[in-house]
Amino acid sequence: MDASARERLIEGTRELLWDRGYLGTSPTAILRRSGVGQGSMYHHFQGKPDLVLAAEQRSAEIMKEQSEAVLKGPGTALERIAGYLLLDREVLRGCAVGRLAGDPEIIEREELRQPVRDALDQVRVLLAGVIEQAQRDGELAAELRPSDLAATLSAVLQGGYVLARAEQSCEPFDRAVQGALGLLRAHSTDPESIPAG
């Protein structure tokens, strides 16, 4: 069996989970989306939960890579934080990882909940590290608690997705990001360095 079939199964499942959640990601839909046969699916995976876990891990990996590309990239720490908030995202589709936190079938199973929790936590920890760097560099007020601010910024993004999807408009997400940027400006030693977005 060819390895590309495994990759297509993972990617097809990842896309379906993102759009439809666990229940909407049926084996039939997975096979249709990935373009592989049933035999290939059961050759590579023990069943739907095993394939869903691989797809979740892939979404988590992509989320981490995209976050690191900005938060560990060029620019000052504060510019990188602002750049992360202003990343081009598929707002109305929601966060591929965060959306799964509202899926009862994912949340009730520890093995399926863990990749979601770990991915969101990894990004929060990464963000907290860059906030600490901004404080060491004198860009942000020292009295801010990096872990609290990182949790706030993460919640702004995840909540922004929910509000945008509820209204079927990017405007609530954009307002939430602007609010977060305003919070950073209010605690910055150089507010002008934070883009308006």
Side-chain angles (χ1 to χ4, degrees), residues 71 76-83 85 126-153 179-195:
L71 292 170
T76 68
L78 204 48
E79 287 169 346
R80 286 180 276 144
I81 295 166
L85 291 171
L126 180 61
L127 197 48
V130 183
I131 291 166
E132 286 175 12
Q133 181 67 54
Q135 289 176 314
R136 284 194 300 273
D137 294 345
E139 295 181 282
L140 275 178
E143 68 268 13
L144 290 169
R145 289 185 50 163
S147 61
D148 291 349
L149 181 55
T152 299
L153 297 179
L181 292 169
L183 176 66
L184 290 174
R185 278 189 208 94
H187 293 282
S188 171
T189 57
D190 182 15
E192 300 298 315
S193 69
I194 300 172

Side-chain angles (χ1 to χ4, degrees), residues 85-173:
L85 291 171
L86 293 167
L87 263 177
D88 189 25
R89 295 175 166 91
E90 293 186 64
V91 173
L92 295 181
R93 201 171 179 200
C95 173
V97 173
R99 281 195 65 188
L100 299 176
D103 191 314
E105 286 74 22
I106 298 287
I107 295 308
E108 73 184 16
R109 301 178 190 195
E110 173 60 27
E111 73 278 7
L112 297 180
R113 184 174 67 245
Q114 176 121 18
V116 175
R117 185 176 61 231
D118 290 350
L120 294 171
D121 192 52
Q122 284 176 343
V123 172
R124 185 193 54 75
V125 168
L126 180 61
L127 197 48
V130 183
I131 291 166
E132 286 175 12
Q133 181 67 54
Q135 289 176 314
R136 284 194 300 273
D137 294 345
E139 295 181 282
L140 275 178
E143 68 268 13
L144 290 169
R145 289 185 50 163
S147 61
D148 291 349
L149 181 55
T152 299
L153 297 179
S154 295
V156 163
L157 292 175
Q158 291 302 322
Y161 282 124
V162 171
L163 296 173
R165 284 178 56 77
E167 289 191 28
Q168 281 299 289
S169 166
C170 293
E171 188 182 347
F173 184 90

